[in-house]
Amino acid sequence: FLPGLRSLPFWTPPNHNSNSKANPTKVSIAYGEPTVTKVVNHLESNYLAIKEEYMHAVMGMGRKTDLSADNPSVSKPLEPDYDVNLKGEHASDKLHSGTWDWHSYILNGSIQPKFEESCPNTTKIIKEMEPMLFLNNPFGFSFFSTLHEKSFIKPHFGPMNLRLRIHLPLIVPSDVTPDAFSSKPQTKCGIRVGNQIRSWEEGKAVVLDDSFEHEVWNETKEVRVILLLDVWHPDVAVEERERIVNMFHYAKKQGWMKN
């Protein structure tokens, strides 16, 4: 952990969604932080394009089949790349229950060619934010996170405070009103960071600091899909970022870290 960084569970307020409806050009980010605000504006302005590509590339909607061809074929949807049997920050069957699918553009700090091929528009949109992307280190991620019905990600801490995590909701369950069987009194589909609980609204980004204890749940009968994106904490200077990346490269070269 790097001392002196500004620290809040959420960098978007609870009323971020209502503010955006009243004035779509105004996004409220903690401390008025300009670089994070720019990233959030960029993601929200491209929400529909990203969602459409998810529906095509992952769900297989809109795929063309030429049955008149001699050898008809169907483009295969992008397959999940998250494996609970591998070691890593998120890889533990004790961390989650139910079904949680990943389709990764950035996995452990490395860009995934299959995602680039299947999701060229989303790739382009994310690359336009490259100076802020948490790349070239084993703790950087960007992926379509699909949390299926009756699934839970249990309370845990992120490994560092060097990054902020952004959720761009693409698909949110239609009815999240708690009932007699709900384990959480606020919502049937939501996230807790520290002592604060939020739910998602399609197209409205949520910025959080996952170095706080956090958990996620979906008690509905529908899927919840977000584009998750890690960015550098804005208080980490460019020179510090370069040194941190070099530190990880050196550790890997020495054999102290695995792929």
Side-chain angles (χ1 to χ4, degrees):
F1 276 64
L2 193 64
L5 303 186
R6 290 173 292 180
S7 179
L8 288 172
F10 288 100
W11 282 53
T12 40
N15 60 350
H16 165 58
N17 298 343
S18 59
N19 283 348
S20 298
K21 288 178 180 177
N23 185 355
T25 64
K26 184 178 180 180
V27 175
S28 181
I29 302 295
Y31 310 107
E33 215 298 312
T35 55
V36 179
T37 299
K38 185 176 181 180
V39 170
V40 167
N41 277 326
H42 182 65
L43 287 171
E44 291 187 351
S45 66
N46 286 285
Y47 146 70
L48 289 176
I50 295 171
K51 179 178 179 178
E52 180 181 22
E53 194 158 66
Y54 172 87
M55 300 301 293
H56 290 175
V58 176
M59 302 300 291
M61 297 180 65
R63 299 262 173 178
K64 293 182 178 179
T65 306
D66 185 1
L67 298 179
S68 66
D70 293 334
N71 296 299
S73 62
V74 178
S75 299
K76 190 175 182 180
L78 186 65
E79 295 183 355
D81 52 35
Y82 177 69
D83 187 349
V84 298
N85 297 311
L86 296 176
K87 293 182 179 180
E89 178 187 344
H90 303 89
S92 169
D93 57 0
K94 295 180 181 179
L95 175 62
H96 52 86
S97 60
T99 304
W100 181 23
D101 290 337
W102 291 33
H103 299 84
S104 302
Y105 171 54
I106 302 172
L107 183 62
N108 296 116
S110 298
I111 290 175
Q112 305 301 299
K114 287 184 179 179
F115 187 100
E116 286 187 299
E117 181 180 349
S118 298
C119 303
N121 292 333
T122 303
T123 296
K124 178 178 180 294
I125 291 165
I126 296 175
K127 278 187 173 180
E128 288 171 349
M129 301 176 286
E130 193 158 330
M132 281 294 291
L133 297 181
F134 203 61
L135 275 169
N136 301 316
N137 72 81
F139 300 105
F141 297 90
S142 178
F143 57 92
F144 289 132
S145 171
T146 304
L147 192 66
H148 291 258
E149 63 180 87
K150 308 299 181 183
S151 297
F152 305 84
I153 304 171
K154 300 174 185 179
H156 63 290
F157 296 88
M160 59 174 60
N161 67 342
L162 302 175
R163 69 188 182 193
L164 294 179
R165 180 154 284 182
I166 301 175
H167 291 180
L168 180 68
L170 305 179
I171 301 174
V172 177
S174 56
D175 184 6
V176 297
T177 305
D179 55 33
F181 303 99
S182 301
S183 64
K184 308 291 184 183
Q186 294 89 348
T187 177
K188 292 175 71 172
C189 184
I191 178 172
R192 175 184 64 83
V193 183
N195 61 359
Q196 300 179 29
I197 291 178
R198 304 283 173 83
S199 54
W200 296 275
E201 179 182 343
E202 288 190 15
K204 303 302 178 184
V206 175
V207 183
L208 59 109
D209 182 342
D210 76 326
S211 66
F212 287 83
E213 184 186 65
H214 57 287
E215 62 177 318
V216 178
W217 60 93
N218 180 10
E219 298 182 325
T220 75
K221 296 181 179 180
E222 304 172 49
V223 298
R224 182 239 57 182
V225 182
I226 63 172
L227 173 66
L228 181 150
L229 179 72
D230 288 336
V231 297
W232 282 99
H233 192 296
D235 291 347
V236 181
V238 173
E239 183 179 357
E240 292 174 314
R241 298 176 190 180
E242 294 173 353
R243 291 180 177 179
I244 290 167
V245 169
N246 290 337
M247 176 189 70
F248 282 121
H249 286 170
Y250 180 79
K252 183 177 180 180
K253 185 177 180 180
Q254 297 300 312
W256 301 336
M257 301 183 66
K258 304 296 182 182
N259 290 329

